[in-house]
Amino acid sequence: MSTKSSKLSASAEDAEHAFYDAIGRADLESLMALWADDEEIACIHPGAPRLQGHAAIRESWELIFERGPVHIRPRHLHVTHNLLGAVHSLIEEIKTPDEASWQE
């Protein structure tokens, strides 16, 4: 995920934190502000087809947030950095509003 101009100086870790924070608050505006100003952006939700462009991605998150915030805890993070970018590969544990608190 690329960030808009106000977020260009953010590290990959900062962008990732802001992404999960916005999802955890069901804050659609903050979430969409993290995406690049490019219609080539893509999003693939678990078990769903690939979405491309701001309108499709925004609509998908609107539908998800209808039930409220979604709490996601990244696990097993693997990070690769180079001069051109960073790749964060991870497993997400997801808790929806109707589920009990985190199990440890």
Side-chain angles (χ1 to χ4, degrees):
M1 167 185 6
S2 298
T3 58
K4 287 191 174 184
S5 59
S6 65
K7 301 283 186 182
L8 283 178
S9 62
S11 69
E13 290 79 11
D14 291 342
E16 182 177 282
H17 176 76
F19 177 77
Y20 288 117
D21 179 62
I23 293 170
R25 294 181 292 108
D27 184 342
L28 184 61
E29 297 308 317
S30 292
L31 178 65
M32 293 309 299
L34 295 166
W35 294 86
D37 284 326
D38 183 342
E39 283 304 310
E40 295 299 315
I41 61 173
C43 179
I44 304 172
H45 296 293
R50 181 179 191 270
L51 302 172
Q52 185 168 341
H54 282 273
I57 293 169
R58 182 183 186 91
E59 182 180 349
S60 73
W61 283 108
E62 285 175 340
L63 292 172
I64 291 168
F65 290 160
E66 282 180 356
R67 292 181 55 205
V70 179
H71 300 284
I72 302 174
R73 183 166 38 183
R75 296 286 208 183
H76 308 289
L77 177 64
H78 176 75
V79 178
T80 304
H81 292 270
N82 64 35
L83 293 175
L84 300 175
V87 175
H88 287 209
S89 176
L90 53 91
I91 296 172
E92 297 175 333
E93 290 181 1
I94 301 171
K95 181 177 70 114
T96 57
D98 56 333
E99 294 178 319
S101 62
W102 292 109
Q103 301 284 324
E104 289 299 329

